[in-house]
Amino acid sequence: MIRYINVKSKKRIELIDVTDLVQKEISESGIKNGICYLYVPHTTAAITINEGADPSVQRDILHTLSKLIPKDVGYAHMEGNSDAHIKSSVIGISGFVFIEEGKLVLGTWQSIYFCEFDGPRHRRLALKMIET
Ligand code: ZN
């Protein structure tokens, strides 16, 4: 069974911490040990696991991505959001986390971030948990 987390972004580009929401889905699933796959069913969003303690890291990630992949540099795509498509491909739309004793296994400083690159929008994060 696929579970979905609804994510509502508020800015064009932002990282949204979904760690607690993913943990809630794992707790509700009743799975104690296994793997939780994370999948973003969008073409202008992504998923990453990175520093959760210092918010300036999120700013630096977004700032650097925007420098590397500018919004307007004569892209062919008529919708005008090619930068968002490219950022999505660079960061990636899938990931996974281990589940141990019903809890996400993350490093001390790690959080799970839904990456919005063309918001604000209503988004979904798909989860598939496998018991092992
Ligand atoms: Zn587009």
Side-chain angles (χ1 to χ4, degrees), residues 5-19 21-22 38-50 58 62 88 91-93 111-127:
I5 291 174
N6 292 308
V7 179
K8 189 179 182 306
S9 60
K10 295 189 178 82
K11 301 177 187 168
R12 178 162 197 268
I13 295 177
E14 66 178 313
L15 299 186
I16 300 166
D17 189 338
V18 293
T19 313
L21 296 172
V22 174
L38 311 160
Y39 183 82
V40 174
H42 303 286
T43 61
T44 55
I47 191 91
T48 192
I49 298 176
N50 212 296
Q58 299 165 45
L62 294 178
S88 169
I91 299 297
I93 49 106
S111 293
I112 305 169
Y113 287 101
F114 185 94
C115 310
E116 175 61 80
F117 296 131
D118 195 26
R121 290 179 192 238
H122 289 279
R123 302 291 203 172
R124 292 195 308 171
L125 171 62
L127 306 177

Side-chain angles (χ1 to χ4, degrees), residues 1-7 21-31 35-41 99 123-130:
M1 184 181 109
I2 297 172
R3 290 168 173 263
Y4 288 96
I5 291 174
N6 292 308
V7 179
L21 296 172
V22 174
Q23 178 60 59
K24 186 169 166 268
E25 293 295 327
I26 289 170
S27 300
E28 284 176 16
S29 78
I31 291 177
I35 298 170
C36 177
Y37 291 98
L38 311 160
Y39 183 82
V40 174
I99 305 164
R123 302 291 203 172
R124 292 195 308 171
L125 171 62
L127 306 177
K128 182 89 175 175
M129 290 163 233
I130 311 286

Side-chain angles (χ1 to χ4, degrees), residues 44 77 79 81 85:
T44 55
H77 180 47
E79 200 187 2
N81 62 352
H85 290 293

